[in-house]
């Protein structure tokens, strides 16, 4: 069984958000003319600026299922495109958008319950509202988990303001998929696609370090978290991170009694590392908690590309299914 845990989807259409909320900065989907080869695409627009072009599989579940069948993918775990998080906006406006996205995703899952699982999105800049929507996702929409960003505006994930959210997620058995977003785009990062090639993995590594050094994973031992892109750089630099914990406890061991190496064995990672040697190392580091899956790429390629860990040991497979359904 192949389970694609890292798979983004959008509604086919949604309201004009600038008109709905009275200010700009929102993403809209503008359909393009059908190509000569029959391919349908759309452009994600941020106000009047092009953000990204996507193919029909980004909004059409039937097209997606055709591609899943062609690649032998059994189940996709669907989540929104991270730019839709909108943590920068007024909290109740983000909540409204989250409800639009989550309700549409619930309809897609209900039409194809054997092929899709949903992860909700939340207004994380307002933890009380995030908890409210998380409970709705979990108990009304039937989602096993949610997707959140690697930081929330100026908050890292160890921010005291987020503690009630993590407590609620643990209480309600809500799995959390952590995806990088809002990377540094200017200055030294402006060229060579660096925000995606370097910034994303750095974001995920910083988020994981904050959760470990900040004592979040120790404080909430039953919290189930999965990190995108193979956990960023963390599994590959765990020796350095762990050394820092022991060498500088005044900076790294004030809020936790558990070493990073111990804590890393408590989390899940996807397998999207684009290299078999890196994948093997990831399995060696994460061990039995490794999430074996394929993935529908977006930012590193418009067309659907699947990256699967089919050569990994049998006992490392289907871990995300367990994470998402228990």
């Amino acid at each position: 069984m192949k389970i694609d845990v890292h798979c983004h989807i959008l509604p086919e259409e949604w309201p004009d958000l600038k008109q709905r909320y009275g200010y700009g900065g929102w993403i809209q989907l503008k359909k393009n003319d059908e190509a000569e080869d029959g391919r349908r695409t759309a452009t994600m627009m941020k106000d009047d600026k092009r953000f990204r072009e996507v193919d029909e599989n980004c909004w059409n579940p039937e097209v997606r299922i055709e591609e899943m069948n062609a690649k032998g993918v059994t189940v996709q775990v669907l989540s929104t495109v991270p730019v839709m998080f909108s943590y920068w906006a007024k909290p109740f406006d983000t909540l409204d958008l989250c409800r639009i996205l989550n309700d549409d995703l619930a309809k897609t899952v209900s039409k194809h319950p054997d092929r899709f699982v949903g992860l909700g999105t939340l207004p994380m800049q307002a933890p009380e509202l995030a908890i409210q929507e998380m409970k709705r996702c979990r108990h009304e929409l039937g989602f096993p988990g949610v997707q959140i960003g690697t930081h929330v505006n100026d908050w890292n994930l160890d921010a005291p303001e987020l503690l009630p959210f993590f407590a609620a997620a643990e209480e309600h058995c809500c799995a959390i998929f952590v995806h990088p977003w809002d990377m540094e785009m200017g200055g030294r990062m402006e060229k060579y696609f660096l925000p995606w090639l370097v910034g994303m993995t750095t974001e995920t590594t910083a988020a994981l370090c904050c959760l470990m050094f900040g004592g979040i994973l120790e404080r909430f031992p039953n919290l189930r978290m999965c990190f995108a892109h193979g956990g960023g750089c963390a599994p590959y630099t765990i020796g350095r991170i762990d050394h820092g914990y022991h060498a500088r406890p005044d900076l790294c061991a004030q809020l936790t009694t558990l070493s990073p190496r111990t804590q890393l064995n408590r989390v899940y990672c996807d397998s999207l590392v684009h290299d078999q040697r890196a994948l093997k190392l990831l399995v060696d580091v994460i061990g039995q908690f490794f999430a074996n899956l394929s993935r529908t790429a977006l930012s590193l390629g418009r067309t659907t590309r699947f990256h699967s860990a089919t050569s990994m040991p049998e006992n490392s497979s289907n871990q995300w299914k367990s994470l998402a359904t228990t």
Side-chain angles (χ1 to χ4, degrees):
M1 175 182 287
K2 287 185 183 179
I3 301 176
D4 182 347
V5 69
H6 189 157
C7 190
H8 302 309
I9 194 169
L10 290 170
E12 185 168 1
E13 58 184 20
W14 58 87
D16 184 320
L17 301 179
K18 183 176 182 179
Q19 184 179 64
R20 187 179 182 93
Y21 304 132
Y23 55 98
W26 306 94
I27 295 290
Q28 299 293 153
L29 196 64
K30 179 182 177 182
K31 297 288 182 62
N32 301 323
D33 294 334
E34 185 173 310
E36 292 184 1
D37 61 1
R39 186 167 60 91
R40 296 178 62 196
T41 64
T43 302
M44 297 175 68
M45 302 291 295
K46 188 173 184 179
D47 294 329
D48 297 327
K49 295 182 178 181
R50 177 187 180 277
F51 176 75
R52 176 184 298 160
E53 187 171 317
V54 295
D55 285 325
E56 188 177 4
N57 60 6
C58 194
W59 71 83
N60 188 329
E62 279 69 32
V63 170
R64 186 177 292 256
I65 288 174
E66 290 178 5
E67 294 176 349
M68 291 167 63
N69 291 340
K71 298 295 183 179
V73 175
T74 313
V75 175
Q76 285 191 345
V77 183
L78 305 179
S79 56
T80 194
V81 180
V83 71
M84 302 298 288
F85 288 159
S86 304
Y87 300 155
W88 54 269
K90 297 177 182 178
F92 280 98
D93 295 340
T94 304
L95 174 62
D96 181 66
L97 175 58
C98 288
R99 293 178 70 92
I100 292 171
L101 297 172
N102 293 336
D103 288 346
D104 183 82
L105 179 55
K107 291 178 182 178
T108 297
V109 172
S110 68
K111 290 179 181 178
H112 308 281
D114 295 331
R115 305 306 302 271
F116 297 133
V117 174
L119 296 179
T121 188
L122 308 174
M124 292 297 294
Q125 71 270 43
E128 290 185 4
L129 296 181
I131 293 171
Q132 171 188 316
E133 182 64 6
M134 181 268 291
K135 291 179 181 179
R136 190 179 79 92
C137 287
R138 189 73 181 94
H139 302 298
E140 294 183 26
L141 301 184
F143 296 163
V146 295
Q147 177 187 224
I148 69 171
T150 44
H151 68 277
V152 181
N153 300 328
D154 291 333
W155 298 340
N156 281 319
L157 294 187
D158 64 333
E161 292 87 351
L162 295 176
L163 289 176
F165 166 74
F166 289 123
E170 183 182 57
E171 178 184 355
H172 292 272
C173 297
C174 183
I176 300 173
F177 182 51
V178 181
H179 193 290
W181 88 297
D182 192 31
M183 299 81 68
E184 176 62 46
M185 304 293 287
R188 294 171 56 238
M189 300 295 289
E190 189 172 358
K191 298 170 65 177
Y192 310 127
F193 207 41
L194 290 181
W196 280 265
L197 300 181
V198 177
M200 278 195 162
T201 54
T202 303
E203 272 287 325
T204 303
T205 306
L208 188 47
C209 283
C210 286
L211 289 166
M212 293 189 295
F213 292 142
I216 306 302
L217 297 179
E218 181 176 4
R219 184 167 180 171
F220 304 108
N222 295 316
L223 197 61
R224 295 167 300 148
M225 304 190 75
C226 181
F227 293 83
H229 309 123
C233 306
Y236 319 99
T237 58
I238 187 59
R240 184 178 183 85
I241 295 169
D242 199 66
H243 177 73
Y245 171 84
H246 293 288
R248 293 303 306 266
D250 56 318
L251 299 177
C252 302
Q254 293 298 300
L255 300 175
T256 182
T257 62
L258 300 177
S259 72
R261 196 179 296 274
T262 297
Q263 295 189 63
L264 193 62
N265 287 329
R266 295 186 173 189
V267 303
Y268 297 73
C269 294
D270 72 16
S271 64
L272 185 61
V273 295
H274 301 282
D275 184 90
Q276 284 294 327
R277 291 169 299 177
L279 185 59
K280 184 179 184 302
L281 178 61
L282 177 61
V283 175
D284 290 341
V285 172
I286 298 296
Q288 65 180 7
F289 296 102
F290 175 73
N292 184 21
L293 50 93
S294 64
R295 194 265 186 175
T296 306
L298 246 182
S299 59
L300 293 184
R302 259 192 317 105
T303 56
T304 303
R305 299 178 183 179
F306 291 91
H307 177 86
S308 60
T310 54
S311 63
M312 292 300 104
E314 180 66 26
N315 63 6
S316 68
S317 65
N318 301 334
Q319 292 298 319
W320 172 261
K321 185 176 182 182
S322 174
L323 171 72
T325 57
T326 56

